[in-house]
Amino acid sequence: MSEQIIEGAPAPDAEENRRQVLYWRLLARLFDPEEQAGLESASLAVVEDIGLPSALLDPGASVDSVVQRHPELAAEFDGLMAPEPDEDGGRDRAAEVRRAALVSKVLLNVFATGSGTVTAEQLARWQSDAGWLERALGCRPGDLRGGRGGAGGGPGVSPTGTGFGGPTPDLSRLIPEIGPELGALEAGLVKRMHLREVLADPALASRLTPSMSLIEQLLRDKDNLSGVALANAKSLIRRYVDEVAQVLRTQVEKATVGDIDRSVPPKRVFRNLDLDRTIWKNLTNWDPEGERLYVDRLYYRHTSRKTTPQRLIVVVDQSGSMVDSMVNCTILASIFAGLPKVDVHLIAYDTQALDLTPWAHDPFETLLRTKLGGGTDGTVAMALAQPKIAEPRNTAVVWISDFYEWRTDELFESMAAVHRSGAKFIPVGSVTSSGRGSVNPWFREKFKDLGTPVISGHIKKLVYELKTFLT
């Protein structure tokens, strides 16, 4: 009977076995840094047999170095973990083995972070490898970690992929979970680095790539820095601010466009000339014999947009849990401060409130004046914000916090009073680049009942709300 079962069993799939060898090695290395000789030799044989470089199995080689030596692999890493389904519904098992080797390289380089002190070079390498992982998931480098740009969102969920036991893993569906985990890994690496010593050495500091995790550490430690270290820290903060501002400014420019204001006469310049309308209106002056059109009046396009003087009051919780929001909203406030006829006021608070309005146009200077950490008491910020509401109908109050307050009833009543006054009150629970945040459920329900639900998610949501108010 046993012989009959063995004879009737399907023949083992060689390609499937190869793929499993690569993934078993990946799991073994993730949970135990010591290499398993059998898995290593078997994986090496697989990689060499399918024509891939053995450097893919070298834990000391970055993805950058592999691609530099083998540039033809760069295209294969893009969208690697968000594969398109085969049109015929079949599986190319040989291609899956190849992808398994590339997937293993990216995942191992990013998630096997080791222990001990981290150097600036190691952090830079990890950031580069994390960028390749983001590209493999179909995103831009930095998007998932809430870094430069924070365009947010990845590709659509592909129907293929059922984990390590099926076809090539489609991890794009896990993007909401992977992004925050990458940010946490990066933050851990930054904490394991002797940052002050690195900043004191210009050569080492130049290897650092600005990221949210690094900026958070710099903002927390800036009062303990001086001389060269402080100068390098400021340079990194400014680089990061400029990179994020460039992306956010584009989003604002696309969003904050008012309706055409036809009460304002159009400027009579050539670039505003409406040629089609001019010809149509002067057709009665057509001379058929001379085949000429005599124009007695020119028509111009209206380009002036309707803008109403508005006051925008941005209140930001600067406690430790809101660092990402603090950075993003400080930059966003500076962009709106540069728009015509928008009067921006910026307030930061923890247990004390700080009016940062004089520096609202410069996010770099604003961030240098913040003190991250501490408790949270929104009533002190409200005491600064309420006197600024001179014309409620022309005022929007944007309050960014996780709303974990200790004087909840008192703060909410003052917020409800602002809403009832006619001002637009916009509670925001998260304006991170990754879109992940936590909001006090008590406040969430209260705001919902008030008719001002909490905005949570990507910063684009806040840009859209402000666009609606300003136009």
Side-chain angles (χ1 to χ4, degrees):
M1 186 67 166
S2 61
E3 291 180 358
Q4 291 177 352
I5 294 175
I6 293 174
E7 289 176 0
D13 188 330
E15 301 297 347
E16 182 75 8
N17 289 342
R18 287 178 168 185
R19 191 177 61 83
Q20 290 292 347
V21 164
L22 294 171
Y23 282 141
W24 277 117
R25 174 188 175 272
L26 167 64
L27 293 174
R29 293 299 294 261
L30 284 174
F31 290 102
D32 185 357
E34 295 296 326
E35 66 179 41
Q36 304 294 320
L39 285 174
E40 292 295 327
S41 59
S43 297
L44 179 60
V46 170
V47 167
E48 291 181 341
D49 191 49
I50 61 178
L52 287 174
S54 59
L56 287 174
L57 302 180
D58 180 4
S62 67
V63 178
D64 263 344
S65 65
V66 173
V67 170
Q68 286 173 2
R69 298 174 195 169
H70 307 276
E72 70 279 1
L73 294 179
E76 293 191 57
F77 280 106
D78 286 330
L80 179 67
M81 299 181 195
E84 294 294 333
D86 293 332
E87 294 181 1
D88 59 1
R91 292 172 57 187
D92 186 342
R93 296 184 182 277
E96 286 178 8
V97 176
R98 187 177 182 88
R99 285 197 292 265
L102 300 174
V103 166
S104 297
K105 177 59 179 175
V106 177
L107 292 180
L108 198 58
N109 276 28
V110 172
F111 289 99
T113 56
S115 59
T117 303
V118 174
T119 66
E121 185 176 359
Q122 287 173 324
L123 176 62
R125 177 193 133 168
W126 184 92
Q127 289 173 326
S128 173
D129 287 334
W132 281 104
L133 174 59
E134 289 164 319
R135 289 175 60 171
L137 290 167
C139 303
R140 294 179 304 177
D143 277 2
L144 299 186
R145 287 167 284 158
R148 300 166 303 283
V157 176
S158 171
T160 64
T162 57
F164 290 152
T168 302
D170 176 16
L171 300 184
S172 62
R173 68 187 68 197
L174 300 178
I175 281 177
E177 289 75 27
I178 291 177
E181 291 305 320
L182 287 178
L185 282 173
E186 185 174 28
L189 291 170
V190 172
K191 289 180 180 178
R192 285 161 50 192
M193 185 172 59
H194 295 309
L195 188 55
R196 295 181 191 177
E197 287 81 356
V198 171
L199 292 172
D201 186 334
L204 292 177
S206 65
R207 298 180 182 177
L208 296 176
T209 300
S211 66
M212 182 58 70
S213 298
L214 182 59
I215 296 308
E216 178 180 347
Q217 283 298 109
L218 294 175
L219 292 175
R220 290 184 185 280
D221 204 34
K222 65 181 185 298
D223 292 335
N224 300 316
L225 302 175
S226 61
V228 175
L230 180 58
N232 285 328
K234 288 183 176 181
S235 176
L236 286 166
I237 294 173
R238 184 173 287 281
R239 279 174 56 195
Y240 183 79
V241 166
D242 290 344
E243 290 170 358
V244 176
Q246 182 178 0
V247 176
L248 291 182
R249 189 173 291 110
T250 300
Q251 295 178 5
V252 171
E253 288 173 352
K254 290 180 179 179
T256 55
V257 178
D259 297 330
I260 294 292
D261 188 353
R262 300 195 180 278
S263 65
V264 177
K267 290 185 178 180
R268 296 177 178 275
V269 294
F270 179 76
R271 68 173 178 272
N272 288 346
L273 179 64
D274 190 337
L275 188 59
D276 290 340
R277 190 179 178 210
T278 297
I279 293 174
W280 178 258
K281 290 289 187 179
N282 288 279
L283 281 178
T284 55
N285 300 327
W286 171 252
D287 179 9
E289 294 183 2
E291 295 185 349
R292 290 185 179 183
L293 177 66
Y294 293 93
V295 176
D296 57 17
R297 181 179 177 183
L298 296 175
Y299 291 84
Y300 297 86
R301 298 185 185 91
H302 287 76
T303 57
S304 179
R305 303 282 176 173
K306 289 182 179 179
T307 56
T308 304
Q310 307 282 8
R311 173 163 291 189
L312 178 62
I313 303 172
V314 181
V315 183
V316 187
D317 177 353
Q318 64 172 352
S319 62
S321 60
M322 297 295 293
V323 176
D324 201 340
S325 292
M326 180 72 206
V327 173
N328 278 287
C329 287
T330 296
I331 296 171
L332 190 60
S334 72
I335 294 170
F336 278 103
L339 297 179
K341 299 183 180 181
V342 180
D343 181 21
V344 175
H345 294 255
L346 179 61
I347 298 170
Y349 76 97
D350 41 35
T351 55
Q352 296 181 332
L354 181 63
D355 190 346
L356 297 169
T357 302
W359 303 278
H361 65 285
D362 189 339
F364 172 72
E365 291 295 333
T366 300
L367 289 173
L368 292 184
R369 285 168 170 78
T370 60
K371 293 184 179 294
L372 302 179
T376 308
D377 183 5
T379 60
V380 297
M382 183 59 78
L384 277 181
Q386 281 181 321
K388 296 177 179 290
I389 307 175
E391 299 180 19
R393 296 292 176 185
N394 277 345
T395 302
V397 179
V398 179
W399 198 291
I400 302 102
S401 175
D402 54 13
F403 297 99
Y404 284 96
E405 301 276 346
W406 63 286
R407 289 199 274 189
T408 55
D409 292 310
E410 182 180 348
L411 179 59
F412 178 75
E413 284 304 318
S414 61
M415 291 174 169
V418 170
H419 174 67
R420 288 192 297 267
S421 73
K424 184 174 180 62
F425 186 79
I426 307 175
V428 182
S430 171
V431 286
T432 65
S433 300
S434 62
R436 181 180 182 180
S438 174
V439 177
N440 185 334
W442 186 88
F443 267 96
R444 186 183 288 277
E445 288 302 315
K446 286 288 187 179
F447 286 132
K448 185 178 180 180
D449 294 339
L450 188 64
T452 58
V454 175
I455 296 175
S456 290
H458 197 272
I459 195 169
K460 284 183 178 179
K461 292 185 179 180
L462 178 56
V463 171
Y464 177 79
E465 284 292 318
L466 293 178
K467 169 247 183 180
T468 302
F469 170 73
L470 293 170
T471 60

